[in-house]
Amino acid sequence: MRDTAGGRRQRSDQVARIGLEHVLLFYDYLDLGDLDSCMSLLDTGASFHLPLGRTARGKAESGALARTHLSGRGMHRIRRRRTDGETVVVEGDFTDLGTLTTVGFTDLFGFSEHALISSWHRVHDSSRTPRA
């Protein structure tokens, strides 16, 4: 008899591990303004939810949202990251290079079965005062 729970857990761990690598690349590509490389990491049904009600569904719309609001505008500094099942949680700081304002964030990423980014939900850390 096959251990399906163990097999699912192993797949889940593998998706999260590869997904984390994709997330780290995603931040690097965003910071460099390399949207084509960002897009290569997205699932076709990607769904992005950024602060201030900015939401996108589908790969093209999600890529456009990332380009409009973050791509090449600043630098991400990761303070903490963890995987939980097939999700990755990242805490860090984003510094807007235009205003030199830094704000804390918590990002939650979900993944397709192929470890492509299927969802990104960002929350700004209101407990920390933005720095200028």
Side-chain angles (χ1 to χ4, degrees):
M1 186 170 182
R2 189 169 159 240
D3 177 11
T4 57
R8 276 193 299 263
R9 181 65 190 165
Q10 183 178 11
R11 180 177 101 53
S12 182
D13 289 346
Q14 186 176 28
V15 166
R17 188 174 54 255
I18 295 168
L20 176 59
E21 291 175 24
H22 286 168
V23 165
L24 298 176
L25 284 171
F26 183 74
Y27 287 128
D28 287 344
Y29 295 151
L30 271 178
D31 292 350
L32 292 171
D34 185 351
L35 195 61
D36 289 337
S37 294
C38 284
M39 296 290 287
S40 73
L41 300 171
L42 303 183
D43 183 67
T44 56
S47 174
F48 284 7
H49 303 278
L50 300 179
L52 303 176
R54 297 174 292 204
T55 301
R57 300 208 187 293
K59 187 174 183 174
E61 193 176 306
S62 295
L65 179 65
R67 175 182 43 247
T68 301
H69 294 286
L70 291 171
S71 184
R73 283 192 34 219
M75 299 298 295
H76 287 87
R77 185 177 66 89
I78 296 169
R79 290 185 282 117
R80 221 173 317 197
R81 61 187 188 214
R82 66 184 179 279
T83 59
D84 182 13
E86 293 184 13
T87 61
V88 169
V89 179
V90 178
E91 296 174 19
D93 298 308
F94 176 77
T95 301
D96 185 308
L97 297 177
T99 63
L100 297 179
T101 301
T102 299
V103 64
F105 67 84
T106 300
D107 285 344
L108 175 65
F109 290 92
F111 303 95
S112 70
E113 65 185 57
H114 303 292
L116 293 173
I117 297 170
S118 62
S119 65
W120 177 26
H121 185 91
R122 172 166 283 189
V123 177
H124 284 148
D125 187 350
S126 61
S127 67
R128 296 178 47 226
T129 305
R131 298 183 306 259

